[in-house]
Structures are given as C-alpha cells and as structure tokens.
Amino acid sequence: MNQDKGDIKKRILTEATRLGILLNPEALLILVENYDEKSLPTILSKIAEEAKKRNSVVVSREVVTSVIGASIRAEISAGFHTHFLAKDVEDDIEILKSYEAKQVSDDLEARRQYFADRYSKISSMLRSRADMSPYYPLRKACSLPDRSEGKTIVMVYEKRENYIVVEDMDFSTKILIPRDCDKDLREKIGRLLPDSVVGVSFYVSNSKLFCRSIIFPDVPIKKFKTIEEDISVLLTSDIHYGSQKFSEKAFLRMIKWLRDGGVTEKEREISSRIKYMIIAGDLVDGVGIYPQQEKELQVRDVEKQYGGLSNLLSQIPEHIKVIVIPGNHDATLRAIPQPPIFDEYAEKLESNGNVISLSNPCMVSLHGVKFLIYHGTSMEDIATFAKNASYDRPENAMEIMLQLRHLAPVYGSRTPIIAHGRDELVIEEVPDVFHTGHVHVFRNGVYREIKLINSGTWQERTRYQEQLGIMPTPNIAAVLALKNGSVSQIRFD
Ligand SMILES: [Fe+2]
Ligand SMILES: [Fe+2]
C-alpha cells in the first residue's frame, strides 16, 4: 500500500457517498485494511447492492466482509497449476506422539510423581554423558570433605545472582556461584530456568558446594535428515480466524498461491512442490480467552469461527495434507499437553478430508523427517526467567527448550501445565525440525542442525500486543524443502 491511510479513507468515503451509502467505522476500517485501488469501485458497488437488498443505507462490517470474501474467493478460483509436482509423490506421514485428554485431579501425590518423572527422564539423559563422572547424589555431595570435586544432577528451585537453590528426589541445598566465575557459567546461569533439571560440576570449600560449571542435558550434534523426494512443507500458525485483525486477504492470497503458484516460474515451482502444511495452533481467536475479547471479534461464535476457517482451508489443493494442533485460543483444554481440538470443532476442519488434527505438542514424521510441533505458550515464562530470550527472538527460547530438553520447564507461572503422573513435555526424542508459534513473530534459525521455525501469524497487531510492546510480523509463511533442508520465507501482504 503506497498511499497514506488518510488519503485512502478519503477516497473510499468519496466513492461511498457517490453511491449513496454510509460506512460505519468498523466497515470503513476493513475497507482501508483491504484497500486495493483497482478493485475498490467494483467492491463498493457490490456493497451498495448488498446494502440495498438489506434495505439499509448504513453499511455494517458484516456486509463488507461478505463482499470482500466473495471477491477474493472468485479471484482464487481463477487460476490453478496445470500440474502439481508434489502430487507425484506418495504420502508418508507417521504420527509418533499425540496426546489424548486424560482425567486429572489436583492430587499432591500425582504432582510429586510428575516431577519425579521429569527428574528421572532428564537425569538418565545426563547420566549417559561421559562428562558426568564422578557422580554423587546431592546428599552425598554435601557430605564430601573440602577440596572434593564431582558432578551431581539437580532440579532448580530458585536462581539468584550468587547462588542457586536446588534439589533432587532426596535432598535440597544451596549451591554457590563463585564471584569470579567464567563467562560460560554466567551465560548458562542466565539461561537456567526454575524447575529445569541440569547437571552441576561442583567443588567443596569450607563445607559448602560451589558451582564450577552447569551441564545442560542438551541435544546431540547430528546431521539434518534430508530425503530423496523434492517436496516441501509449509509451516504456519496463529491464524486467529474470527478476530477483527485476522488478515483474511493475505491468508487467501497464500491459498491462491498454493493453487496457482503466483507469477514467476520459480514461485510456481516452489508452490507446486508443497505436499504438507502444518498449522502450529491458534487456528481461531476463540471466545472469552481474555477480558473484553468480544469487542475485538469479527465472528463471535466459536462454531462459526471453525466453520469459517474450514471454508478457507477447503480451498487448499486436496493433495496437500494439513496438520493442525491447538494453541491457547483454540477449543480444547487449556493446560499443556493440550489434547486435540474438541471433536465437534475438529470435525468441521477434518470434513475437508485433508486435515489431520493432533495434540499440542506432538511429534510427526514426514518421509522420515521428525517434526516437533508445539504452540509455544511457555515462551512467555522463558522470556521472563531467561536472560537472552524475548518475544521478538523466539528462536532463543526454542534453543533453551532444546538445551534443557523440556518444552515448558517453569511450573506455576503463566503457562498452565498438567502436572500429573508422567511428564509428557520432556523432549525425549530429538527432532529434525522444531516448529512453534504463539509470539506472532516470524523467525527461523538452526541449533545443532535442528531447524527452528517460529511461524509468525495472520493477525495484525492487537491492542493487547500494543500494551505489551509486541510488534508482530504477520502474513509470512515458511517453506521447508525436505530435499536439502533450506527454509524460505514467503510474504503474502
Ligand atoms: Fe496466537
Ligand atoms: Fe497463542
């Protein structure tokens, strides 16, 4: 959009007056957001016709969205690839992990088991490392004579500038951070999160434990798995269908691109090779997610939100399999791991035949390439407790999750977690691709050859984000080529 928004408003209002219609403020806003110089006269005449049918001079936002939606849909139907290259390759999808809803009670023993399970899973990862010897349980470490050295495995209870309070399943103590500690240790302390499980290399002085270094469970270094077939996966998230800020036009542009590949030969080839699409949560905006949300909703009924989104997804070429997981705005249980979107709503999406609804998080193998898909709610806690993580650098939080081998280490803060029995949020299997969303900022990176993709959003900046100072980067999708692991960003605004 080259023109100034004030000029655009004036142009729309002049044209509307000429046609004898009045636009209410919301209707005007939608027209400004979706402004296209060429199509404006046609769209406004259709709006005038629709208003006439409804016997109303004042045009509401419903009238505008119905006309804009129809006009973009007509545009979409216009073109189609003559041959989709991805269609020549057979599907190869294996669901490695997806959680079903389970009965939970607020039971202290179940919570104790949950943390014991976390400790046991991560400590066995650490114990398998060569640098964890000589190992001492915490109680034993505390009884060693002065000048002893060793390794122990702890869960962090609290971190302070000069010490950390830690525990294992049997004992609890304070480990001091030497004032003259090196940069590496200071950096690791900065990344340490409450309730995470790590190894500590210690020495004893004056009957006190001092930290020499922190050993993260971390992921092993391995090569990114590539495949023979030249096909790609489109990764996206945070559509927020139903929000007034949902960029329907850009989203429809992406669907159109999936169908006809755009203008250039190169673009057409990229689009034609897309075989899978993954949507990492917040498919709809939901209802009652935060106070006064209804004021920011375009569609105020959850069923209609999923119905509307399903209509859009139904226009994606059938051979593209779409994997969806819930986020904190979707219709399922709020605490993670979240089971898949409730059947009554997921059925609407799945009625398209090419949509597969799974849990948050889940692990899926596509042609042998393992995708860890997680909405990312815990990034808020990680941004609070870790030094180098922030909303605009989600790849740093993703890196910390991999280093600590846990998707949401911090318990009892902003992220609701089902702390009951088994800890399903431990990253037991190392993925090839780690895909998240939630913070509405498109970023990609690599950590130890694992592709990190936070896939942004299709929602323009909300009032809530303005208050938090978050600057979203909407209308971008990531395309990962499985043949060589390259990641491209495709913009649709
Ligand atoms: Fe979101
Ligand atoms: Fe979210």
Side-chain angles (χ1 to χ4, degrees):
M1 204 182 282
N2 307 323
Q3 282 170 270
D4 175 65
K5 280 203 174 172
D7 290 344
I8 292 169
K9 257 189 197 170
K10 252 190 226 162
R11 159 112 214 265
I12 295 170
L13 289 172
T14 314
E15 193 75 11
T17 315
R18 198 181 59 75
L19 291 162
I21 49 172
L22 291 171
L23 300 165
N24 81 11
E26 287 175 327
L28 177 62
L29 187 71
I30 295 165
L31 282 167
V32 172
E33 300 280 325
N34 291 280
Y35 179 75
D36 176 50
E37 197 171 353
K38 269 193 211 153
S39 58
L40 182 72
T42 324
I43 286 174
L44 278 176
S45 327
K46 283 185 184 162
I47 288 172
E49 264 171 49
E50 188 62 34
K52 203 172 168 190
K53 264 192 233 161
R54 298 184 188 206
N55 267 335
S56 164
V57 182
V58 182
V59 173
S60 66
R61 63 162 190 231
E62 281 79 14
V63 173
V64 174
T65 47
S66 69
V67 170
I68 287 183
S71 106
I72 298 168
R73 274 176 207 119
E75 216 182 281
I76 281 179
S77 320
F80 222 70
H81 277 294
T82 45
H83 179 65
F84 288 99
L85 295 165
K87 235 177 169 176
D88 301 338
V89 178
E90 268 195 43
D91 289 351
D92 182 356
I93 308 176
E94 198 186 338
I95 299 160
L96 302 174
K97 244 185 186 185
S98 181
Y99 311 93
E100 293 307 318
K102 63 176 181 183
Q103 282 285 336
V104 290
S105 55
D106 194 16
D107 165 346
L108 269 181
E109 174 52 22
R111 198 175 304 162
R112 194 201 62 76
Q113 280 172 16
Y114 170 81
F115 285 109
D117 188 51
R118 175 184 298 194
Y119 183 84
S120 143
K121 282 175 178 162
I122 301 178
S123 69
S124 58
M125 291 173 198
L126 282 158
R127 290 295 298 274
S128 67
R129 293 174 54 131
D131 56 355
M132 277 307 294
S133 172
Y135 164 80
Y136 299 95
L138 202 50
R139 185 187 290 275
K140 175 79 184 152
C142 287
S143 67
L144 291 173
D146 269 10
R147 288 197 291 277
S148 302
E149 298 204 4
K151 314 285 163 66
T152 189
I153 296 172
V154 298
M155 185 176 280
V156 178
Y157 179 75
E158 190 186 0
K159 73 167 176 178
R160 292 290 179 95
E161 187 63 24
N162 296 319
Y163 64 88
I164 47 175
V165 182
V166 298
E167 56 198 355
D168 62 10
M169 287 304 106
D170 169 55
F171 198 68
S172 169
T173 191
K174 204 185 252 188
I175 300 182
L176 304 169
I177 317 287
R179 277 177 210 282
D180 58 347
C181 77
D182 60 22
K183 210 174 141 214
D184 179 65
L185 176 57
R186 199 47 78 192
E187 221 269 319
K188 280 189 169 162
I189 298 278
R191 287 170 170 244
L192 212 52
L193 297 174
D195 308 316
S196 57
V197 177
V198 293
V200 175
S201 167
F202 65 86
Y203 61 92
V204 186
S205 177
N206 291 328
S207 303
K208 289 188 179 98
L209 286 191
F210 281 82
C211 183
R212 195 178 289 292
S213 65
I214 300 279
I215 304 151
F216 287 154
D218 222 322
V219 287
I221 298 167
K222 58 164 190 166
K223 258 196 97 56
F224 180 76
K225 184 177 166 55
T226 51
I227 63 164
E228 284 287 302
E229 295 92 340
D230 198 353
I231 50 170
S232 302
V233 186
L234 185 140
L235 300 106
T236 190
S237 63
D238 297 85
I239 300 169
H240 288 266
Y241 188 94
S243 157
Q244 285 172 16
K245 299 282 182 176
F246 166 49
S247 319
E248 185 170 22
K249 198 167 180 180
F251 192 74
L252 285 165
R253 246 184 231 134
M254 177 186 70
I255 295 178
K256 181 176 176 338
W257 180 81
L258 288 172
R259 291 166 67 105
D260 70 14
V263 190
T264 66
E265 187 69 24
K266 180 147 194 285
E267 255 192 296
R268 276 198 294 278
E269 188 181 333
I270 297 173
S271 144
S272 169
R273 293 198 186 278
I274 290 170
K275 184 150 183 66
Y276 303 98
M277 176 170 171
I278 302 177
I279 310 176
D282 283 358
L283 275 68
V284 299
D285 207 44
V287 173
I289 306 293
Y290 53 86
Q292 304 205 318
Q293 185 198 13
E294 64 283 358
K295 287 185 183 161
E296 296 178 7
L297 286 177
Q298 176 84 16
V299 183
R300 295 187 173 125
D301 176 289
V302 182
E303 205 171 329
K304 286 187 181 150
Q305 291 180 357
Y306 282 103
L309 178 64
S310 173
N311 281 340
L312 297 188
L313 297 183
S314 70
Q315 298 180 67
I316 292 173
E318 268 172 42
H319 70 277
I320 299 178
K321 294 284 173 293
V322 182
I323 295 167
V324 304
I325 68 160
N328 52 311
H329 281 253
D330 285 295
T332 185
L333 305 178
R334 292 293 289 275
I336 54 170
Q338 288 181 292
I341 293 165
F342 290 141
D343 287 351
E344 57 190 299
Y345 305 113
E347 276 161 13
K348 287 188 189 299
L349 304 170
E350 288 170 329
S351 66
N352 291 318
N354 57 345
V355 176
I356 302 165
S357 169
L358 300 175
S359 68
N360 168 38
C362 69
M363 174 85 103
V364 176
S365 156
L366 300 177
H367 300 255
V369 180
K370 287 178 200 158
F371 286 73
L372 173 58
I373 313 162
Y374 167 51
H375 180 58
T377 329
S378 57
M379 286 192 193
E380 295 179 31
D381 287 326
I382 298 179
T384 306
F385 290 98
K387 266 199 175 137
N388 68 336
S390 59
Y391 288 97
D392 57 346
R393 299 296 299 269
E395 74 279 23
N396 288 351
M398 295 168 86
E399 202 176 292
I400 291 174
M401 289 179 209
L402 291 171
Q403 289 174 334
L404 297 175
R405 296 290 288 265
H406 202 284
L407 293 172
V410 185
Y411 179 75
S413 194
R414 293 174 69 103
T415 314
I417 294 171
I418 302 176
H420 200 276
R422 286 165 57 88
D423 185 351
E424 309 282 10
L425 300 170
V426 174
I427 305 173
E428 291 183 80
E429 199 163 352
V430 179
D432 298 296
V433 181
F434 185 18
H435 176 197
T436 57
H438 188 61
V439 289
H440 294 203
V441 175
F442 185 101
R443 296 285 296 189
N444 68 305
V446 179
Y447 179 67
R448 298 198 162 184
E449 299 254 341
I450 299 170
K451 307 284 172 198
L452 311 177
I453 297 166
N454 190 289
S455 52
T457 183
W458 298 89
Q459 188 186 38
E460 301 290 340
R461 199 179 194 201
T462 62
R463 211 168 303 156
Y464 177 67
Q465 288 165 336
E466 273 173 33
Q467 284 163 8
L468 291 181
I470 298 172
M471 189 53 87
T473 54
N475 314 333
I476 308 173
V479 174
L480 168 71
L482 296 181
K483 196 180 169 71
N484 57 20
S486 68
V487 178
S488 335
Q489 289 184 34
I490 320 268
R491 296 195 72 99
F492 293 96
D493 44 15

